[in-house]
Amino acid sequence: MRVLAGLGHTRLLTEGGPRLLGQFVAAGVLDELCLTVSPMLTAGGAQRISGGPGVSVPRRFELVSLLEEAGFLFSRYQRS
C-alpha cells in the first residue's frame, strides 16, 4: 500500500474475505465499508465479517447510504 501511495494512488478498492478485511481493520487503514445483506438465512459455523488480530479500541463507522432492491440491502459506511 505504501508503494501505491508513493505512486500517487490514494484510493484502494479491495474485495476479499474475513481475513483480508481483518488485516485492514487491524492496520487502521479501512475508511469505508460496503456491505450487502441478503434476505436469506442459513446456519453453520461461520466466523465474523472480519477475522484476524483484535483491535484495542473498536472503530466507529456511520451509515452514509442505504438502498434496497428485492429485499437485498446495500449499505455504505464511512469511518466517523
Side-chain angles (χ1 to χ4, degrees):
M1 287 179 41
R2 285 186 205 106
V3 172
L4 291 172
L7 295 171
H9 302 286
T10 58
R11 291 181 176 217
L12 179 63
L13 173 64
T14 63
E15 291 188 29
R19 289 189 191 129
L20 179 62
L21 181 57
Q23 290 174 348
F24 282 101
V25 170
V29 296
L30 186 71
D31 54 65
E32 184 173 292
L33 174 68
C34 295
L35 180 65
T36 300
V37 178
S38 167
M40 299 178 189
L41 292 177
T42 186
Q47 58 186 13
R48 295 177 181 255
I49 187 174
S50 69
V55 294
S56 58
V57 177
R59 288 161 179 86
R60 180 79 181 158
F61 282 68
E62 65 181 78
L63 182 66
V64 293
S65 68
L66 182 63
L67 301 171
E68 182 275 336
E69 183 172 325
F72 288 83
L73 294 176
F74 302 92
S75 60
R76 187 167 66 96
Y77 293 86
Q78 287 183 334
R79 185 173 14 191
S80 298

